[in-house]
Amino acid sequence: MLVVNNLISFTDSDNEKVVERVLWLNKEHDYGYFFNIHTTSLPYERNISEVEEGLNKGSIILVEKDPFSRLINENDIPEKHLSLRDSTWEIIKDIVKLEPFVYHSAERRKLILKKSEAHNIHESTIIRYLKKYWQRGKTKNALLPDYYLCGGKGKEKKANEVILISPFFCLPARHIAIAKRCFTF
């Protein structure tokens, strides 16, 4: 039996593994909205009966371990991370509450444009926030920044003495090494 936030996995026609999150279900009318957690696509509609038939046949399986679930103590989250999460939530909270309309592209576009103007941010930023929210389980904490993924584990970072700059920064078709004090040409 499918419920919201279940993860299902199957192999598509190109022999690639697909993992989808169940975002919303309307069992009365036999459809729901799903989201592929490993692509940049937006939510799409599927027949619930087809998915349940695949579950019964074994061609679709329920994924037990959510790759995005993290057990987080609210007190252990740095204030900066909470601030970033909360500001992102303020932008999308009114949009995500409007299920199932938010899953219709025309309706979603209208909602995004309103929020984009109200908060003075680009609509692609709002779409990125929505995708992150749907991908990671439709929770407020899904919007926390991913700083814990940055850098080598357990290694202290040091600034280099010489910095390499893109060739497009100063001189075309040439890398420039900048020493501590001056440019050398």
Side-chain angles (χ1 to χ4, degrees), residues 74 77-91 129 140-141 143-145 147:
E74 194 83 14
I77 301 172
E79 190 61 40
K80 180 180 179 184
H81 297 194
L82 289 173
S83 172
L84 290 168
R85 178 202 66 187
D86 293 342
S87 64
T88 303
W89 178 247
E90 282 302 312
I91 294 168
Y129 293 159
K140 190 175 176 180
N141 279 344
L143 303 170
L144 283 167
Y147 295 145

Side-chain angles (χ1 to χ4, degrees), residues 23-87:
L23 296 179
W24 186 83
L25 297 170
N26 184 338
K27 294 192 179 195
E28 186 178 309
H29 292 99
D30 191 40
Y31 74 96
Y33 287 96
F34 294 75
F35 183 77
N36 185 334
I37 66 169
H38 296 304
T39 67
T40 59
S41 66
L42 289 163
Y44 43 88
E45 187 177 316
R46 290 191 64 175
N47 287 340
I48 296 171
S49 57
E50 289 177 9
V51 174
E52 288 180 340
E53 184 180 323
L55 287 167
N56 292 334
K57 287 182 178 177
S59 59
I60 298 175
I61 59 167
L62 284 174
V63 177
E64 297 294 322
K65 185 164 176 12
D66 189 337
F68 295 104
S69 71
R70 292 179 16 203
L71 199 57
I72 303 170
N73 183 345
E74 194 83 14
N75 298 328
D76 294 340
I77 301 172
E79 190 61 40
K80 180 180 179 184
H81 297 194
L82 289 173
S83 172
L84 290 168
R85 178 202 66 187
D86 293 342
S87 64

Side-chain angles (χ1 to χ4, degrees), residues 114-177:
K114 281 182 189 174
K115 285 294 181 176
S116 176
E117 288 176 21
H119 292 278
N120 197 26
I121 59 174
H122 198 273
E123 58 192 272
S124 64
T125 302
I126 297 173
I127 292 170
R128 192 175 68 245
Y129 293 159
L130 289 170
K131 287 179 180 181
K132 188 175 183 181
Y133 177 78
W134 291 324
Q135 177 190 46
R136 298 174 183 208
K138 295 172 57 174
T139 66
K140 190 175 176 180
N141 279 344
L143 303 170
L144 283 167
D146 293 332
Y147 295 145
Y148 72 96
L149 295 175
C150 296
K153 292 184 179 182
K155 294 182 182 177
E156 193 171 318
K157 313 301 180 280
K158 293 181 186 175
N160 290 335
E161 302 245 344
V162 176
I163 303 167
L164 290 179
I165 294 181
S166 165
F168 300 105
F169 183 73
C170 283
L171 300 174
R174 205 170 175 207
H175 281 283
I176 301 171

